[in-house]
Amino acid sequence: MDHLENEPSMLEEPSLTPNVSNLKPFPSQNSKISTPVTDHRRRRSSSVISHVEQETFEDENDQQMLPNMNATWVDQRGAWLIHIVVIVLLRIFYSLFPGSTPKWTWTLTNMTYIIGFYIMFHLVKGTPFDFNGGAYDNLTMWEQINDETLYTPTRKFLLIVPIVLFLISNQYYRDDMTLFLSNLAVTLFVGVVPKLGITHRLRISIPGITGRAQIS
């Protein structure tokens, strides 16, 4: 009985401490730093097109301390289904308008979905949660997904949805060149291009239009 009491318990409570295994070691005083550390969140650029700098040493460690709840939900079970439900509800909503036709209801559904999720994923920066020391303040939700790993299954799904929606909608307005070109432009430049690797961390500043939209 004595040796059983002295043995450690096989059941241990889960640790609630932050994950520190991925933290980078702090530079020693003897190490030589060739370039000064700059704060990417305070960077200002007068050019129309600019690129967001990589995080500082402190921000990278802050990002690894706790899971980013602002971006991890997109990988949860049922998250992909949300997009299908939103499209169906939009289609039903616009079909209730008096005098609505299939080509206009699908056009409004397509544009509302693409523009709405563009604002959500590509325009608003930061997180609505007070954690990680503001390490994500300069990143959009799209840039926070999957730790910035490009072309993951979730990212591919979010890229394919607007394309499929455009192809479905095109069956109803393909005889109307104006609607076709309008939906094509919105799908291509708002729904597809911002999700490509060439636009990752890219910022296009248009005075009076692209202001500083940020969650704080």
Side-chain angles (χ1 to χ4, degrees), residues 46 58 64 66 75 95 105 193 208:
S46 59
E58 292 81 3
Q64 298 296 331
L66 294 171
D75 293 317
S95 65
T105 55
V193 172

Side-chain angles (χ1 to χ4, degrees), residues 86-87 90-91 94 102-120 161-170 173 176-192 195:
V86 169
I87 293 173
L90 287 173
R91 176 64 176 82
Y94 287 123
K103 68 178 182 180
W104 277 107
T105 55
W106 277 109
T107 296
L108 293 173
T109 299
N110 183 47
M111 291 189 173
T112 302
Y113 170 82
I114 292 178
I115 295 175
F117 276 90
Y118 171 82
I119 295 173
M120 176 179 177
V161 169
I163 298 176
V164 174
L165 180 58
F166 168 75
L167 295 177
I168 295 175
S169 305
N170 186 44
Y173 51 69
D176 191 325
M177 187 57 63
T178 302
L179 289 181
F180 171 78
L181 293 177
S182 300
N183 281 272
L184 178 62
V186 171
T187 301
L188 183 62
F189 295 108
V190 181
V192 175
K195 295 179 173 63

Side-chain angles (χ1 to χ4, degrees), residues 6-212:
N6 295 329
E7 290 182 356
S9 174
M10 298 298 295
L11 298 177
E12 297 181 356
E13 296 183 357
S15 176
L16 298 178
T17 58
N19 181 16
V20 296
S21 59
N22 296 326
L23 299 184
K24 294 183 178 181
F26 194 86
S28 62
Q29 297 180 353
N30 296 328
S31 61
K32 295 182 179 180
I33 302 177
S34 58
T35 58
V37 177
T38 58
D39 188 349
H40 69 284
R41 288 176 292 168
R42 297 175 182 172
R43 180 173 179 263
R44 294 292 183 268
S45 176
S46 59
S47 61
V48 175
I49 300 177
S50 59
H51 193 272
V52 178
E53 299 175 357
Q54 289 295 326
E55 280 69 32
T56 61
F57 171 83
E58 292 81 3
D59 285 341
E60 288 183 355
N61 276 346
D62 288 340
Q63 291 177 359
Q64 298 296 331
M65 286 295 293
L66 294 171
N68 183 6
M69 296 179 291
N70 188 53
T72 53
W73 67 270
V74 298
D75 293 317
Q76 301 298 322
R77 179 178 300 178
W80 292 11
L81 185 62
I82 295 176
H83 298 266
I84 309 302
V85 172
V86 169
I87 293 173
V88 172
L89 292 178
L90 287 173
R91 176 64 176 82
I92 295 174
F93 172 75
Y94 287 123
S95 65
L96 298 177
F97 283 26
S100 61
T101 59
K103 68 178 182 180
W104 277 107
T105 55
W106 277 109
T107 296
L108 293 173
T109 299
N110 183 47
M111 291 189 173
T112 302
Y113 170 82
I114 292 178
I115 295 175
F117 276 90
Y118 171 82
I119 295 173
M120 176 179 177
F121 281 97
H122 302 283
L123 187 60
V124 179
K125 305 178 186 67
T127 65
F129 310 103
D130 186 15
F131 73 106
N132 291 77
Y136 295 99
D137 284 355
N138 206 43
L139 298 179
T140 63
M141 182 185 293
W142 179 260
E143 293 164 347
Q144 299 172 31
I145 294 175
N146 302 133
D147 295 326
E148 298 193 63
T149 303
L150 301 178
Y151 303 115
T152 59
T154 297
R155 288 178 180 265
K156 290 179 181 178
F157 172 79
L158 296 175
L159 176 62
I160 292 174
V161 169
I163 298 176
V164 174
L165 180 58
F166 168 75
L167 295 177
I168 295 175
S169 305
N170 186 44
Q171 302 301 317
Y172 297 91
Y173 51 69
R174 56 185 176 184
D175 58 334
D176 191 325
M177 187 57 63
T178 302
L179 289 181
F180 171 78
L181 293 177
S182 300
N183 281 272
L184 178 62
V186 171
T187 301
L188 183 62
F189 295 108
V190 181
V192 175
V193 172
K195 295 179 173 63
L196 301 179
I198 58 175
T199 58
H200 187 65
R201 284 178 174 263
L202 195 67
R203 298 288 186 269
I204 300 178
S205 302
I206 303 177
I209 298 178
T210 56
R212 183 176 177 81

